[in-house]
Amino acid sequence: MTYNASELSGTSVTQTARRIDFQCSPEGYRHWKLRFAGEVAELIMDVDETAGLVPGYQLKLNSYDLGVDIELADALQRLRFEHPEVKVVILKSGKDKVFCAGANIRMLAGSAHSHKVNFCKFTNETRNGMEDSSEHSGQKFLCAVKGTAAGGGYELALSCDRILLADDGNSTVSLPEIPLLAVLPGTGGLTRVTDKRKVRRDRADAFCTIEEGVKGKRAVEWRLVDQCIPNSKFDAAVAAAAKALADTSDRPADAKGIQLTPLARSFAETTVTYSAVSVEIDRTGRRATILIQGPTSPPPASAAAMHAQGADFYPLRLARELDDAILHLRSNELSVGTLIFKSQGDAAQVLAYDALLAANASDWLVREILNNWKRVLKRIDVTSRSLVSLIEPGSCFAGTLAEIIFACDRAYMFAGKMKGDNRPDARITLTELNFGRYPMSNGITRLQTRFLGEPESVTKAEATTGKPLDATDCATIGLVTEAFDEVDWADEVRIFLEERASFSADGLTGLEANLRFAGPETMETKIFGRLTAWQNWIFQRPNAVGADGALKRYGTGVKADFNPERV
Amino acid sequence: MTYNASELSGTSVTQTARRIDFQCSPEGYRHWKLRFAGEVAELIMDVDETAGLVPGYQLKLNSYDLGVDIELADALQRLRFEHPEVKVVILKSGKDKVFCAGANIRMLAGSAHSHKVNFCKFTNETRNGMEDSSEHSGQKFLCAVKGTAAGGGYELALSCDRILLADDGNSTVSLPEIPLLAVLPGTGGLTRVTDKRKVRRDRADAFCTIEEGVKGKRAVEWRLVDQCIPNSKFDAAVAAAAKALADTSDRPADAKGIQLTPLARSFAETTVTYSAVSVEIDRTGRRATILIQGPTSPPPASAAAMHAQGADFYPLRLARELDDAILHLRSNELSVGTLIFKSQGDAAQVLAYDALLAANASDWLVREILNNWKRVLKRIDVTSRSLVSLIEPGSCFAGTLAEIIFACDRAYMFAGKMKGDNRPDARITLTELNFGRYPMSNGITRLQTRFLGEPESVTKAEATTGKPLDATDCATIGLVTEAFDEVDWADEVRIFLEERASFSADGLTGLEANLRFAGPETMETKIFGRLTAWQNWIFQRPNAVGADGALKRYGTGVKADFNPERV
């Protein structure tokens, strides 16, 4: 077995009203260490058991909570942006005998349903991001497992390109959720076992019922790990595998990274203010408005000048701020059911930035910036809030920013002029970045998904590239849900927002999770659609979370009392 | 609006212990009528509101419960087998002003979680079966909507190839679940709107929030229906569309159907006995054994002789019995968590039947029999019970019957001889039917799914076609989970069954739903994986099913009281 029940006992978790902050930096890490040696970096998990995100549990045995994962996500971003020279990241444990015991059980048992779900979503996004780095940024991941990798610990390993397991009689991989906790290996575990590692389904089934896990040659034979290596040769094998992986990478050898400086942010009672994003929260109306400010200066004249701007470069700065705003709202404003996206600024400037990015697509930093936008847009896609864009006079939804419109459940556009308003009429302009650079998790673009039944509309839309489209154009092509003129605008928008707030929050979550991802399915959509949905179901079942359920009784010495009825 | 709340009120639903019977025949239909006219049949929904499956609700306004759907499934089977001449089925309502109001809300509100889930699964299977008939049996479906088609009513229409809507100011299609009931259009509705009808996602979103539905030209423009036609021309348009659909069918013009005679069945306290299937239920052990008896006589000498045998023809008889047994266990034995498949008989005879089927694949009846087996096997795939095959001496798992092994979560094979047992050693024999004729809902075969990570094993397996494989062969190729000899067999099997019964029923349901469907996703897997999982989640949320939830309060005149927290 992986962890001893008594070791994990403690007082019950207290849900606090403290704001969960998704920003951090290496100086403040409590749980991770980074070591750099040329093209190889080590990302070492060494969880401080006293530093849980909320009181009530200890992070024994390298188990993790959302706080540990926030640091991991930060480390991964820095590896991408601050370390272009890193081709391979070796993920390992800083503790003896345990690689990682997975998500902390006390934390899970004591958390509200909404926190469990948000926690799983963020950890899934982070792990998908590792695979995105491997596939699209040339930064590969090698997992060096010494000791036990249980549950979420093994799921972390599964996110890597290769898994090396010490063959020492003690090191194991396991997904013991079913036998121990009556929940699923839900951070991509089940999906990655069958669809990434392609483990035979009966072996996968057996594996998921073996509490103590699988080790050595059987782990290799079952495709659970790539190699098992005796302790004496382990470090050499890891180094060799890292070298081999590095050789498959196209990361630049001698580029200089940029520093991810702290975001400029301020929180007030109903607002969050960044440099290019401002959030206004209307708790009575159960909605928040996310206003994006267009660039206030033209793009740098060259790629070199862009590198010099670093984290201040508008597209990167905006993406980081938007990402933080979304994460903040998800975790800290649970009753805000609708997110309203607006923009204001000079669309021509937005287009100029898009043009710079498109022209320098082979620059490593541009690649990272575009990949980051792709991930931020995907984060919006899977956000369980109703999403609506309001495209008003003076807005600057063009190119990359227009992509936000297509991530929304609805988009309303103002047609014509508002009385006494001398801002430019509302326009949407598409750029080449709308036609392939930002695929959804289903592998196709938002416009392809939108126009699944009328692919000719994608062609029509593409033919308008660079041309500002007015409300009539946009409604005709189908880029927006509806266009309203001044007579109807205010009422129509108000009615939509009020109606949305009147519906069941859960009904909308299920509706949106189904409607947003038409077309092909991928491992990623399977993780968010199938695995997550079943896990969320289980996270409400008495067999798991009831007073006599496995999650609640874990560590008490009393076995769970299950209702045997199959559903 | 579709139906008036007060019309649906009544006493609360009583859950009875009465056995749900999945067998019926047209003489006993309470809810459907069939009319035949050459290549066109009419399937008329005319629900008897007093004939609900259990007491406690009235099936007003052509709303349905499981009983209505059991008759529908029966009618569809008879259309396939008894009416080879029918190329197009026109689905219509026998009532004025309402096509179908969907699943009965009182029934849903009063049902246990498990019944809701089982009900949705069966209705989904039935609707998928309509699409299977259209695609693979040449029997097309045309939905003629006059009056309101709401919720499940529109989902029924969505299962058809074409939807014609009367343009009379009254006829509408709608998915009002979200605004009215806080649940999802979960019988494929959301998935079919986006992935079959390919409705633009923002329109789909809007559609699902419009209680009163969409009618006329907008329904066509939004791709919700194929045509809208004024009342005066409606019947002529339906006839013309039926003719056009018939012209795309390859059903034989002058073939004679076979009669689906009643199954020979007897129920006792712990057994269900059919002619070729016997079920033994061990409620203490929470398992049931399904024993399949091989054919007791050689196959008929010709296709004509097979037609003469009709429903007695072994492969058809067995499939119908197996299907009924699975449905019975699903709905009436909720605490039976594990299904054990065994067989006994002469494998050579099974192979002879497979050979006859393969040799006559172009015969319409053979096509129906094989399509039926495909659907029965898919029914096994999505059964929320742990599935295990025990391949013992004297068994006859060959060809079509071997496919059951590959539908299971685990398969154990007896190696060598049992002391004092003179039955033939356990063998598995594959036939060409294992390599394409029975795709899973993911579109690929069970062996392809099983060997996703080692496609060469499919090739190896195919090379053994026709050759009996012993336990060592089967374990080496990977057709079974493990082979045990006499020393270990009894203990290993016992330990597996006891362990399985000790796990959380819900944990296993989620585990199996994720592990069984590796590889590609299709509309069908989306319906069962994504949509169903979210619906099951919602079916537990207080916003839907709590005392103040929408489903409970529907029709009381008091609005639901929602927790606004988004998850």
Side-chain angles (χ1 to χ4, degrees):
Chain A
M1 243 304 296
T2 314
Y3 29 78
N4 185 301
S6 61
E7 291 183 83
L8 281 172
S9 63
T11 57
S12 75
V13 178
T14 314
Q15 293 287 321
T16 71
R18 196 166 66 88
R19 175 168 59 80
I20 296 175
D21 191 341
F22 288 84
Q23 294 303 307
C24 60
S25 60
E27 318 81 75
Y29 286 177
R30 301 288 298 264
H31 309 298
W32 297 88
K33 295 186 178 70
L34 280 163
R35 275 192 212 135
F36 298 94
E39 65 183 15
V40 176
E42 287 188 339
L43 178 54
I44 301 159
M45 187 177 201
D46 194 2
V47 175
D48 178 347
E49 64 184 47
T50 67
L53 188 65
V54 294
Y57 52 87
Q58 287 193 294
L59 296 171
K60 300 260 186 191
L61 295 167
N62 254 10
S63 64
Y64 61 84
D65 66 359
L66 181 58
V68 176
D69 235 64
I70 288 171
E71 288 186 10
L72 172 61
D74 183 76
L76 294 169
Q77 279 291 65
R78 290 178 197 278
L79 281 162
R80 293 177 187 119
F81 283 98
E82 301 187 349
H83 297 278
E85 80 284 2
V86 170
K87 298 182 173 184
V88 177
V89 180
I90 299 173
L91 184 64
K92 56 196 278 192
S93 168
K95 301 208 190 298
D96 284 341
K97 300 204 168 151
V98 60
F99 173 77
C100 167
N104 186 273
I105 298 169
R106 288 271 149 196
M107 176 279 293
L108 279 180
S111 295
H113 183 66
S114 54
H115 183 78
K116 283 194 199 76
V117 172
N118 262 321
F119 164 68
C120 288
K121 183 174 284 180
F122 183 76
T123 55
N124 268 320
E125 290 172 316
T126 305
R127 280 141 195 77
N128 290 345
M130 291 167 64
E131 288 168 333
D132 185 58
S133 283
S134 167
E135 194 176 345
H136 299 292
S137 297
Q139 205 165 55
K140 310 289 171 181
F141 288 85
L142 175 66
C143 194
V145 180
K146 262 191 174 176
T148 50
Y154 178 53
E155 291 179 305
L156 199 49
L158 283 168
S159 311
C160 296
D161 297 285
R162 285 186 70 78
I163 308 172
L164 270 58
L165 179 67
D167 193 5
D168 56 6
N170 171 55
S171 297
T172 56
V173 296
S174 64
L175 292 177
E177 282 85 346
I178 290 290
L180 289 184
L181 307 169
V183 301
L184 300 182
T187 314
L190 293 179
T191 311
R192 287 199 174 86
V193 164
T194 54
D195 283 71
K196 182 178 182 180
R197 306 288 315 179
K198 299 190 168 74
V199 175
R200 221 174 69 197
R201 57 177 277 195
D202 53 349
R203 286 175 169 168
D205 181 283
F207 175 57
C208 293
T209 63
I210 302 173
E211 249 181 66
E212 67 276 17
V214 173
K215 62 187 170 188
K217 290 188 177 47
R218 188 158 72 146
V220 178
E221 192 196 342
W222 285 19
R223 307 174 65 94
L224 299 168
V225 305
D226 294 289
Q227 278 178 266
C228 69
I229 304 122
N231 259 343
S232 59
K233 298 177 182 167
F234 191 70
D235 293 347
V238 168
K243 180 75 183 66
L245 265 183
D247 290 346
T248 69
S249 168
D250 62 354
R251 302 275 288 182
D254 45 13
K256 198 174 163 305
I258 61 152
Q259 211 198 329
L260 293 180
T261 49
L263 297 186
R265 283 189 308 183
S266 65
F267 289 92
E269 176 55 22
T270 58
T271 60
V272 193
T273 312
Y274 303 82
S275 76
V277 172
S278 57
V279 180
E280 205 178 313
I281 298 160
D282 169 1
R283 295 195 183 89
T284 314
R286 293 192 196 132
R287 54 198 186 233
T289 302
I290 299 175
L291 175 63
I292 293 167
Q293 176 67 54
T296 50
S297 55
S302 65
M306 172 196 70
H307 279 262
Q309 287 190 3
D312 280 339
F313 179 57
Y314 173 80
L316 175 57
R317 178 162 50 91
L318 174 62
R320 291 178 70 209
E321 293 178 354
L322 187 56
D323 204 38
D324 188 67
I326 298 284
L327 288 170
H328 168 70
L329 291 167
R330 272 195 197 170
S331 282
N332 299 308
E333 297 287 346
L334 295 180
S335 295
V336 165
T338 302
L339 305 186
I340 303 164
F341 291 92
K342 296 187 180 189
S343 67
Q344 65 183 19
D346 181 357
Q349 298 251 21
V350 178
L351 293 174
Y353 276 89
D354 261 27
L356 178 73
L357 293 169
N360 291 280
S362 63
D363 179 282
W364 77 266
L365 178 57
V366 170
R367 178 166 80 168
E368 287 314 317
I369 289 169
L370 294 173
N371 286 347
N372 193 49
W373 263 103
K374 179 180 62 181
R375 290 190 303 273
V376 173
L377 289 163
K378 284 184 182 184
R379 175 112 69 203
I380 296 175
D381 290 333
V382 297
T383 292
S384 291
R385 309 295 167 99
S386 297
L387 308 173
V388 59
S389 287
L390 299 182
I391 304 141
E392 298 172 316
S395 62
C396 58
F397 285 112
T400 299
L401 295 192
E403 202 65 22
I404 294 168
I405 299 172
F406 312 134
C408 285
D409 302 301
R410 308 267 188 109
Y412 295 113
M413 189 159 180
F414 194 98
K417 293 234 171 284
M418 218 178 280
K419 210 171 169 180
D421 182 356
N422 56 9
R423 293 175 300 174
D425 288 0
R427 294 284 187 272
I428 295 173
T429 314
L430 302 175
T431 69
E432 65 175 282
L433 296 181
N434 298 114
F435 297 93
R437 192 57 183 84
Y438 303 129
M440 298 175 64
S441 58
N442 64 5
I444 60 176
T445 66
R446 285 174 192 78
L447 286 176
Q448 285 170 325
T449 305
R450 183 176 186 83
F451 295 127
L452 208 59
E454 35 176 325
E456 66 280 8
S457 294
V458 179
T459 315
K460 270 185 217 161
E462 197 162 5
T464 73
T465 297
K467 185 185 157 211
L469 303 170
D470 67 17
T472 308
D473 294 336
C474 289
T476 305
I477 298 173
L479 298 178
V480 298
T481 311
E482 277 191 87
F484 299 116
D485 64 14
E486 186 172 17
V487 177
D488 294 320
W489 177 261
D491 272 351
E492 291 286 350
V493 169
R494 181 185 54 76
I495 288 167
F496 167 73
L497 293 172
E498 287 175 3
E499 185 190 67
R500 209 72 179 180
S502 76
F503 293 149
S504 158
D506 308 310
L508 290 174
T509 292
L511 178 77
E512 292 154 5
N514 279 279
L515 294 183
R516 288 179 187 169
F517 302 92
E521 295 263 358
T522 63
M523 196 171 74
E524 226 172 272
T525 61
K526 267 192 184 180
I527 288 172
F528 286 119
R530 175 185 284 261
L531 179 54
T532 298
W534 282 111
Q535 180 78 307
N536 291 355
W537 176 71
I538 284 174
F539 274 162
Q540 290 186 115
R541 299 293 288 163
N543 281 349
V545 297
D548 305 328
L551 206 49
K552 291 285 185 190
R553 285 215 175 152
Y554 186 78
T556 63
V558 186
K559 267 185 73 102
D561 186 14
F562 291 138
N563 176 343
E565 274 196 13
R566 272 294 199 129
V567 175
Chain B
M1 242 301 295
T2 314
Y3 29 79
N4 186 300
S6 62
E7 291 183 83
L8 281 172
S9 64
T11 57
S12 75
V13 178
T14 314
Q15 293 289 318
T16 70
R18 195 166 66 90
R19 175 167 60 80
I20 296 174
D21 192 342
F22 288 84
Q23 293 304 306
C24 60
S25 60
E27 317 82 73
Y29 288 176
R30 302 287 297 265
H31 309 299
W32 296 89
K33 296 185 178 72
L34 279 163
R35 275 191 214 138
F36 297 94
E39 64 183 15
V40 176
E42 287 188 340
L43 177 55
I44 301 159
M45 188 176 199
D46 195 2
V47 174
D48 177 348
E49 64 184 47
T50 67
L53 189 64
V54 295
Y57 52 85
Q58 288 194 294
L59 296 171
K60 300 259 185 190
L61 296 167
N62 254 10
S63 64
Y64 61 84
D65 66 359
L66 181 57
V68 176
D69 234 64
I70 289 171
E71 288 186 10
L72 171 61
D74 182 76
L76 294 169
Q77 279 291 65
R78 290 178 197 279
L79 282 162
R80 294 177 187 119
F81 283 97
E82 301 188 348
H83 297 279
E85 79 285 1
V86 171
K87 297 182 174 184
V88 177
V89 180
I90 299 173
L91 185 64
K92 56 195 278 193
S93 167
K95 303 208 188 298
D96 283 343
K97 300 205 168 150
V98 61
F99 173 76
C100 166
N104 186 274
I105 298 169
R106 288 270 150 197
M107 176 279 292
L108 279 180
S111 295
H113 183 66
S114 54
H115 183 78
K116 284 194 199 75
V117 172
N118 262 321
F119 164 67
C120 289
K121 183 174 285 181
F122 183 77
T123 55
N124 268 319
E125 290 172 316
T126 305
R127 281 140 194 77
N128 290 345
M130 291 167 64
E131 288 169 333
D132 184 58
S133 283
S134 166
E135 193 176 347
H136 299 293
S137 296
Q139 205 165 55
K140 310 289 172 183
F141 288 85
L142 175 65
C143 194
V145 180
K146 262 192 172 174
T148 50
Y154 178 53
E155 290 179 306
L156 198 50
L158 284 168
S159 311
C160 296
D161 297 286
R162 284 187 71 79
I163 307 172
L164 271 57
L165 179 67
D167 193 6
D168 57 6
N170 169 54
S171 297
T172 55
V173 296
S174 63
L175 292 177
E177 283 85 348
I178 291 290
L180 288 184
L181 307 169
V183 301
L184 301 182
T187 313
L190 294 178
T191 311
R192 286 199 175 87
V193 164
T194 54
D195 283 73
K196 183 178 182 179
R197 306 288 316 179
K198 299 189 168 79
V199 174
R200 221 174 69 197
R201 57 176 278 193
D202 54 348
R203 286 175 169 167
D205 182 283
F207 175 57
C208 292
T209 63
I210 302 173
E211 249 181 66
E212 67 275 18
V214 173
K215 61 187 170 188
K217 289 187 178 48
R218 188 158 70 147
V220 178
E221 192 196 342
W222 285 19
R223 307 175 65 93
L224 299 167
V225 306
D226 294 288
Q227 278 178 266
C228 70
I229 305 122
N231 259 342
S232 60
K233 297 177 182 167
F234 191 69
D235 293 346
V238 168
K243 180 75 184 68
L245 264 183
D247 290 347
T248 69
S249 168
D250 63 355
R251 301 276 287 182
D254 45 14
K256 197 173 162 306
I258 61 153
Q259 212 199 328
L260 294 180
T261 49
L263 297 186
R265 281 189 312 182
S266 65
F267 289 92
E269 176 54 23
T270 58
T271 60
V272 193
T273 312
Y274 304 82
S275 76
V277 172
S278 57
V279 180
E280 205 178 313
I281 298 161
D282 169 1
R283 296 196 182 89
T284 313
R286 294 192 196 133
R287 55 197 186 233
T289 303
I290 299 174
L291 176 64
I292 292 167
Q293 176 68 54
T296 50
S297 56
S302 65
M306 173 196 71
H307 279 262
Q309 288 190 3
D312 280 338
F313 180 56
Y314 174 80
L316 176 56
R317 179 163 50 92
L318 174 62
R320 291 179 69 209
E321 293 178 355
L322 188 56
D323 204 38
D324 188 67
I326 298 284
L327 288 169
H328 168 70
L329 290 167
R330 272 195 197 170
S331 282
N332 299 308
E333 297 287 346
L334 295 180
S335 296
V336 165
T338 302
L339 305 187
I340 303 165
F341 291 92
K342 296 187 181 191
S343 68
Q344 64 182 21
D346 181 357
Q349 299 249 22
V350 178
L351 294 174
Y353 276 89
D354 261 28
L356 177 73
L357 292 168
N360 291 281
S362 63
D363 179 282
W364 77 265
L365 178 58
V366 170
R367 178 166 79 168
E368 287 314 317
I369 290 169
L370 293 173
N371 286 348
N372 193 49
W373 262 103
K374 179 180 62 181
R375 290 191 303 273
V376 173
L377 289 163
K378 285 184 181 183
R379 175 112 69 203
I380 296 176
D381 289 333
V382 297
T383 293
S384 290
R385 309 296 166 100
S386 297
L387 308 173
V388 59
S389 287
L390 299 181
I391 304 140
E392 298 172 318
S395 63
C396 57
F397 284 112
T400 299
L401 295 193
E403 202 65 21
I404 294 168
I405 299 172
F406 312 134
C408 285
D409 301 301
R410 308 266 188 109
Y412 295 112
M413 189 159 181
F414 193 98
K417 294 233 171 285
M418 216 178 278
K419 212 172 166 179
D421 182 355
N422 56 8
R423 293 175 299 174
D425 288 1
R427 295 283 186 273
I428 295 173
T429 313
L430 302 175
T431 70
E432 65 175 280
L433 295 181
N434 299 114
F435 297 93
R437 192 56 183 85
Y438 302 129
M440 299 174 62
S441 58
N442 63 6
I444 59 175
T445 67
R446 284 173 193 79
L447 286 176
Q448 284 170 326
T449 305
R450 183 176 186 83
F451 294 127
L452 208 59
E454 35 174 326
E456 67 281 8
S457 294
V458 179
T459 315
K460 271 185 218 163
E462 196 162 7
T464 73
T465 297
K467 186 186 153 209
L469 304 169
D470 67 18
T472 308
D473 293 337
C474 290
T476 305
I477 298 173
L479 298 178
V480 297
T481 312
E482 277 191 86
F484 299 116
D485 64 13
E486 186 171 16
V487 177
D488 294 320
W489 177 260
D491 272 352
E492 292 286 351
V493 168
R494 180 183 55 75
I495 288 166
F496 167 72
L497 293 172
E498 287 175 3
E499 185 189 67
R500 209 72 179 181
S502 77
F503 293 149
S504 159
D506 308 310
L508 290 174
T509 292
L511 178 78
E512 292 154 4
N514 279 279
L515 294 183
R516 288 179 187 168
F517 302 92
E521 295 263 356
T522 63
M523 197 171 72
E524 225 172 275
T525 60
K526 267 192 185 180
I527 289 172
F528 287 118
R530 177 185 284 261
L531 179 54
T532 298
W534 282 112
Q535 179 78 308
N536 291 355
W537 176 72
I538 285 174
F539 274 162
Q540 291 186 113
R541 299 293 289 163
N543 281 349
V545 297
D548 305 328
L551 206 49
K552 291 286 185 189
R553 285 214 175 152
Y554 186 78
T556 63
V558 186
K559 265 185 71 101
D561 186 15
F562 292 138
N563 176 341
E565 275 197 13
R566 272 294 198 128
V567 175

